[in-house]
Amino acid sequence: MPEDATPGSTLPAAPGARYHEAVDTRTGMFGTRGSGDTTGYGGLVQPVTMPPPSEPPYGGWFDEVAQALSSGLAEMGLPDTVEQVVVDRGEITFFIRRAGLLETARLLRDGEALRFEMCLGVSGVHFPGEKGRELHAVYHLLSMTHNRRIRLEVACPEGDPHIPSVVSVYPTNDWHERETYDFFGIVFDGHPALTRIQMPDDWPGHPQRKDYPLGGIPVEYKGATIPPPDDRRSYN
Amino acid sequence: MSTAHDATHDPYGASESETTSGRVFTVTGQDWDTVTSGVADEAEDRIVVNMGPQHPSTHGVLRLILELEGETITEARCGIGYLHTGIEKNMEYRSWVQGVTFCTRMDYLSPFYNEQTYSMGVERLLGIEDQVPEKAHVMRVLLMEINRISSHLVAIATGGMEIGALTVMTIGFREREMCLDLFELITGLRMNHGFIRPGGVAQRMPPGALDQIRDFIALMKKRLPEYAALCNANPIFKGRLVDVGYLDLAGCMALGITGPVLRSTGYPWDLRKTQPYSGYEDYEFDVVTWDTCDAYGRFRIRLEEMYQSLRIIEQCADRLEGLQGAPIMVEDKKIAWPSQLAVGADGMGNSLDHIKHIMGESMEALIHHFKLVTEGFRVPAGQAYVPVESPRGELGAHVVSDGGTRPYRAHFRDPSFTNLQATSVMTEGGMVSDVVVAIASLDPVMGGVDR
């Protein structure tokens, strides 16, 4: 535990507590590749970073929730489950290690001070540039008792895309996890019937991954050819 | 008297074939004699009925797989995905503003809510939530509430049609037409508006719109009681709806059900009150609840919510009266769409004043126009989730940016998708004839379910 953490807290305190790395690297500026870039911006290399971890106090009720979560997890013998906490734009995100996700979800639902009764599903995000943490599953939770919202984010590597299913805690995630499996290939261990839901059963690949092409064919119009959207010049 | 043998030559009978999983009858609206006589010999076996995806009672391309014992449903499962169009993936290849044009097509009965939740997410990412002008908020609320009425009207109309109450359908679509006329007047389109945009709305209120809105309110106040008179105490209507599609509060919580279905359990959860956005805290309206947990309660809630929406629309019209000439977009020219459309002799189109400005007066304006239209604006990296109370429940867009000019990921938590999961618990153990009533009370829109 970092030395400057508040007593009794098992949450990582400082930005250094967990790495805050670039999720991607952006090169150039106007989408030009190869030669022909006369802007001078072609050689520009910028890291893409997500909002950095926050330090307590997080402000308002965020601290109550963070405190209840950390003490609850410590009691259950899972003190390192929260990787980092990000407070950004008035929303709080807990990064959860995948091994403790199910227990965390149960604690969040049942804890007296937490009471996040409702889960608004899971959404996948693919960061191919974030090595070892390519696939993210993002859960939005709502506490109707306390009128609060939090977000959980769980990451897993592309080579081992397994995250525990929370369907036993939040049955509503049944279809949501099937959808995220369908589109991102995240395997939710413990899901009662993890099959594709939107794409046909025999569909190859997971369409919302970044390396999956959008597809489309060039369209000819009045003699000119318009390429499909993912082949058009884009501004990065 | 027809037998299975005769039926093979009967052009109006259902076709019959033997498969590895048993005998299959394909019914597409013919006589059912073949089926009834065909299954009579093996009455002890279970019967699996596949309903849809092309079926008039399934609210679009929804496939239902029902396992029957006599007329009782023992298992009900949904097959979805027939309307999947990859809108979320497509949005990753367009600019942030173009995203509105895509997401408005998801839940096609409540397009403004899709636009609103997406735009609010982008506004939060940009950090401009406080800069959106008041008039934009009022116009958004106005359009959303008219949209709530038009959406609830379709829910009631199609729900009535499915149980044979055709008058409810015809009058429902008659009133919806007036809502669409208002949309056409204000946004130029009857659906797929792309009107609510990050930073505000696309256009000013057209001249004469407020008068038409007031006429609409006055007319609706006369027409809405017709629904109550037709249905509320109608014994056939009640016989079909009361105690059908039962789902209590615990079930709603576990299954993540929101909207009228949740409120039919007596729990007054409405994001417009509990977590207000776009200035909903400044409007007077009531959250409608019912305590029967059934399809009838949901019908009454939708009916009453239309009255409440009318109240809000009235207040919007009053406020717009005092906001004439007020801005409708954020002041930041880097975010606001550079050109406003104008109404010409041939309908809505480019503003000639704007074209004159960029083509003849200012080269810098032309450069800015080009940059903003082709490249768009950059959104700082991060993620946001700003839900709204759509006619079907909580609709939220999880918007992720990597700091670029296009959404890195946009995921929509659509209430139709989540609510449809309740099909099994609402129908199992009930009668076949109640399945369509239960599903109609959920009011799923397949465009939102499949996205």
Side-chain angles (χ1 to χ4, degrees):
Chain A
M1 193 200 295
E3 281 164 29
D4 54 347
T6 41
S9 170
T10 55
L11 299 181
R18 201 189 77 74
Y19 44 93
H20 172 238
E21 290 166 355
V23 294
D24 207 353
T25 311
R26 178 177 287 123
T27 55
M29 199 153 193
F30 301 111
T32 44
R33 288 172 205 91
S35 61
D37 179 16
T38 54
T39 63
Y41 284 100
L44 195 66
V45 179
Q46 295 165 285
V48 175
T49 51
M50 286 308 188
S54 311
E55 280 181 79
Y58 306 116
W61 55 265
F62 289 167
D63 291 297
E64 281 171 49
V65 171
Q67 193 56 44
L69 179 62
S70 75
S71 56
L73 285 172
E75 265 173 45
M76 291 158 76
L78 297 161
D80 296 328
T81 301
V82 179
E83 283 177 319
Q84 66 173 15
V85 182
V86 176
V87 177
D88 179 49
R89 296 166 168 103
E91 298 180 8
I92 190 165
T93 309
F94 294 95
F95 283 72
I96 308 288
R97 275 181 228 281
R98 55 178 171 170
L101 175 66
L102 188 61
E103 290 75 12
T104 309
R106 186 165 290 126
L107 174 67
L108 284 168
R109 186 191 67 179
D110 298 338
E112 193 74 51
L114 299 163
R115 288 269 186 267
F116 288 91
E117 307 96 345
M118 190 167 270
C119 181
L120 286 323
V122 53
S123 154
V125 189
H126 188 206
F127 293 106
E130 200 183 355
K131 293 296 167 214
R133 298 166 57 83
E134 287 94 347
L135 293 165
H136 289 226
V138 183
Y139 303 79
H140 290 97
L141 302 183
L142 165 67
S143 164
M144 289 177 165
T145 311
H146 302 294
N147 204 7
R148 294 166 175 172
R149 282 178 194 278
I150 59 167
R151 179 187 294 125
L152 305 183
E153 194 159 337
V154 187
C156 66
E158 227 168 42
D160 175 34
H162 290 268
I163 287 177
S165 165
V166 297
V167 171
S168 55
V169 179
Y170 295 113
T172 176
N173 269 26
D174 182 349
W175 284 17
H176 289 278
E177 287 182 359
R178 281 176 64 192
E179 185 182 315
T180 307
Y181 160 71
D182 195 354
F183 288 152
F184 289 90
I186 299 176
V187 179
F188 291 94
D189 295 320
H191 188 284
L194 195 67
T195 53
R196 286 187 185 271
I197 186 164
Q198 302 283 12
M199 307 304 286
D201 290 343
D202 54 354
W203 193 264
H206 299 284
Q208 292 247 337
R209 286 198 181 183
K210 287 288 173 185
D211 49 9
Y212 191 101
L214 180 66
I217 52 162
V219 176
E220 214 175 295
Y221 182 68
K222 292 192 176 174
T225 305
I226 294 117
D230 53 345
D231 289 344
R232 283 177 211 161
R233 176 172 160 176
S234 65
Y235 300 84
N236 46 354
Chain B
M1 195 65 189
S2 75
T3 64
H5 176 74
D6 289 335
T8 54
H9 307 291
D10 177 8
Y12 302 107
S15 70
E16 181 190 334
S17 58
E18 289 292 338
T19 68
T20 46
S21 50
R23 207 177 334 166
V24 172
F25 296 93
T26 307
V27 188
T28 51
Q30 304 97 327
D31 292 340
W32 281 66
D33 300 355
T34 338
V35 184
T36 41
S37 58
V39 295
D41 342 323
E42 34 197 318
E44 281 167 36
D45 285 350
R46 61 176 195 164
I47 297 173
V48 181
V49 174
N50 176 64
M51 186 170 156
Q54 307 286 347
H55 191 281
S57 292
T58 53
H59 282 243
V61 277
L62 170 66
R63 180 180 168 208
L64 291 170
I65 303 126
L66 309 171
E67 207 174 302
L68 306 183
E69 207 181 285
E71 272 199 72
T72 308
I73 310 270
T74 53
E75 265 193 77
R77 293 290 179 272
C78 291
I80 63 167
Y82 296 96
L83 207 56
H84 177 60
T85 44
I87 289 176
E88 290 173 359
K89 177 89 173 171
N90 267 292
M91 287 170 78
E92 294 171 13
Y93 292 88
R94 316 288 159 136
S95 73
W96 288 96
V97 174
Q98 284 174 312
V100 175
T101 318
F102 275 82
C103 71
T104 186
R105 285 159 167 75
M106 293 182 165
D107 182 342
Y108 42 78
L109 291 185
S110 52
F112 289 112
Y113 295 90
N114 302 331
E115 299 172 13
Q116 169 79 350
T117 183
Y118 171 75
S119 296
M120 288 204 303
V122 178
E123 281 158 11
R124 180 169 290 180
L125 284 175
L126 286 164
I128 57 163
E129 283 178 299
D130 302 334
Q131 298 164 33
V132 179
E134 187 194 354
K135 188 172 181 184
H137 279 311
V138 179
M139 283 180 70
R140 286 176 175 187
V141 170
L142 171 82
L143 289 166
M144 283 195 287
E145 291 307 323
I146 300 174
N147 199 173
R148 189 181 308 274
I149 294 180
S150 74
S151 176
H152 279 351
L153 280 171
V154 174
I156 290 173
T158 54
M161 179 191 70
E162 284 159 9
I163 57 170
L166 285 179
T167 313
V168 180
M169 183 200 73
T170 51
I171 63 172
F173 279 102
R174 178 187 71 187
E175 263 79 270
R176 175 171 181 260
E177 201 61 23
M178 301 195 304
C179 300
L180 297 189
D181 287 346
L182 283 181
F183 292 159
E184 193 175 358
L185 178 72
I186 296 169
T187 73
L189 292 164
R190 292 157 64 83
M191 61 190 297
N192 303 338
H193 312 276
F195 188 76
I196 297 175
R197 298 189 176 173
V201 294
Q203 293 174 61
R204 299 173 190 291
M205 289 290 280
L210 285 182
D211 295 332
Q212 288 217 25
I213 291 167
R214 291 196 195 285
D215 291 347
F216 168 77
I217 297 168
L219 192 58
M220 283 303 278
K221 281 188 172 162
K222 278 200 216 103
R223 296 265 177 94
L224 281 182
E226 287 182 17
Y227 294 86
L230 261 174
C231 305
N232 280 4
N234 183 328
I236 304 173
F237 196 78
K238 286 183 84 172
R240 289 301 306 273
L241 263 61
V242 170
D243 293 337
V244 171
Y246 185 90
L247 190 66
D248 60 9
L249 182 60
C252 283
M253 287 290 164
L255 291 169
I257 313 286
T258 45
V261 186
L262 176 62
R263 290 192 284 276
S264 74
T265 66
Y267 187 48
W269 182 264
D270 187 324
L271 292 179
R272 294 177 294 171
K273 280 277 190 221
T274 52
Q275 299 175 353
Y277 49 90
S278 271
Y280 265 113
E281 62 270 29
D282 301 332
Y283 296 90
E284 269 180 42
F285 67 99
D286 299 322
V287 176
V288 187
T289 59
W290 208 259
D291 59 357
T292 53
C293 309
D294 63 357
Y296 181 72
R298 285 160 213 150
F299 164 76
R300 292 296 294 265
I301 285 176
R302 292 198 174 97
L303 197 55
E304 183 56 32
E305 278 186 0
M306 290 197 281
Y307 281 105
Q308 299 300 331
S309 292
L310 274 186
R311 280 177 74 187
I312 301 176
I313 295 168
E314 219 164 6
Q315 295 167 53
C316 287
D318 291 344
R319 290 175 64 169
L320 284 172
E321 203 93 60
L323 285 169
Q324 288 184 8
I328 50 158
M329 248 298 170
V330 285
E331 276 176 25
D332 189 347
K333 292 282 182 208
K334 295 265 182 221
I335 294 166
W337 189 249
S339 115
Q340 295 297 325
L341 298 177
V343 182
D346 55 347
M348 203 82 68
N350 284 326
S351 156
L352 294 177
D353 284 342
H354 180 73
I355 291 176
K356 189 176 147 212
H357 180 57
I358 59 173
M359 300 306 286
E361 292 170 0
S362 166
M363 188 172 148
E364 288 75 20
L366 177 64
I367 295 170
H368 281 292
H369 178 100
F370 178 74
K371 285 282 282 179
L372 287 171
V373 172
T374 59
E375 179 177 341
F377 49 81
R378 283 166 198 281
V379 172
Q383 53 186 334
Y385 178 81
V386 191
V388 298
E389 184 74 29
S390 91
R392 276 159 274 282
E394 173 165 338
L395 173 71
H398 175 226
V399 194
V400 185
S401 174
D402 68 341
T405 57
R406 306 186 296 185
Y408 189 76
R409 163 93 167 122
H411 171 74
F412 284 75
R413 188 269 181 200
D414 193 279
S416 299
F417 177 81
T418 313
N419 292 3
L420 203 53
Q421 292 187 86
T423 307
S424 314
V425 276
M426 278 187 175
T427 57
E428 282 171 12
M431 307 295 278
V432 176
S433 55
D434 292 340
V435 172
V436 290
V437 177
I439 290 177
S441 78
L442 288 170
D443 187 24
V445 173
M446 297 315 288
V449 174
D450 293 340
R451 284 155 289 140

